[in-house]
Amino acid sequence: EVQLVESGGGLVQPGGSLRLSCAASGFTVSSNFMTWVRQGPGKGLEWVAVLYRGGGTKYADSVKGRFTISRDDSKNTVYLQMNSLRAEDTAVFYCARDPPETGHDAFDVWGQGTMVTVSS
Amino acid sequence: QSVLTQPPSVSAAPGQKVTISCSGSSSNIGNKFVAWYQQLPGTAPKLVIYDNNKRPSGIPDRFSGSKSGTSATLGITGLQTGDEADYYCGTWDSSLSAYVFGTGTKVTVL
């Protein structure tokens, strides 16, 4: 079964760091683009970052310089390292697959999400 | 502030049809493929349309998509109570070098 399972969310103080993990099963992350999307409380979806097959990355302006997306091919897992966290980063973070089958224009598999709360 | 604009809500009776619009610009919808996502309450988003009008496996043909110029539309026919959800359009924006989502539309079955 094709599946994504996120972990690593929690409560962190402003200025702190957190690393989210996204474990994939049923497919190989390195054969796809992988992305992170977040959703603040009561808000819409916001794209955060993408990791290309070749290892290149791209970030939303709101997280550029603070967040880093990466992967471990041996673990078939994608990560999101989040530093200098702010209250406005509070959100549910979703990992999603961006496969060649959709022309890399759509996210066809999503994880269940992990909650990140930034508060003192 | 999203660059893709959707109506906040649409509603219709069971069995009827609803359409949801998504308005953008030449840097996104005008030159890119559009996707639509369904988010049932308390769950992760689910892809229902990609490449403007293609349905992933398992998505019923009651869901349809179209695009014209810088706008896209999602249609849902034979509305069911299980279709009550938030719907988001999405596409790449070449000016922002970012994937952008629409503002979201809540579908209510009366």
Side-chain angles (χ1 to χ4, degrees), chain A residues 39 47 58 104-105 107 111, chain B residues 33 37 39 44 51 92 97 99:
Chain A
Q39 187 170 34
W47 174 81
K58 195 166 285 187
H104 296 301
D105 287 322
F107 313 137
Chain B
F33 286 109
Y37 303 89
Q39 188 175 32
D51 285 0
W92 282 99
S97 287
Y99 195 90

Side-chain angles (χ1 to χ4, degrees), chain B residues 79-102:
Chain B
L79 205 59
Q80 302 175 1
T81 55
D83 297 330
E84 284 202 331
D86 293 322
Y87 292 82
Y88 296 89
C89 56
T91 186
W92 282 99
D93 189 295
S94 56
S95 294
L96 297 175
S97 287
Y99 195 90
V100 290
F101 289 100

Side-chain angles (χ1 to χ4, degrees), chain A residues 27-106:
Chain A
F27 73 98
T28 303
V29 296
S30 60
S31 298
N32 295 270
F33 296 177
M34 297 299 296
T35 194
W36 285 93
V37 174
R38 68 183 179 182
Q39 187 170 34
K43 296 188 177 180
L45 302 174
E46 180 188 13
W47 174 81
V48 173
V50 62
L51 175 62
Y52 298 116
R53 279 193 302 269
T57 59
K58 195 166 285 187
Y59 299 91
D61 286 344
S62 58
V63 306
K64 202 171 294 182
R66 300 188 299 125
F67 290 11
T68 302
I69 187 172
S70 63
R71 71 179 187 235
D72 184 332
D73 292 346
S74 67
K75 296 181 178 180
N76 208 30
T77 297
V78 177
Y79 302 98
L80 186 68
Q81 177 67 44
M82 304 185 296
N83 299 328
S84 302
L85 283 162
R86 308 165 180 167
E88 53 265 36
D89 294 318
T90 294
V92 175
F93 282 74
Y94 296 101
C95 173
R97 184 177 79 169
D98 182 0
E101 290 80 7
T102 65
H104 296 301
D105 287 322

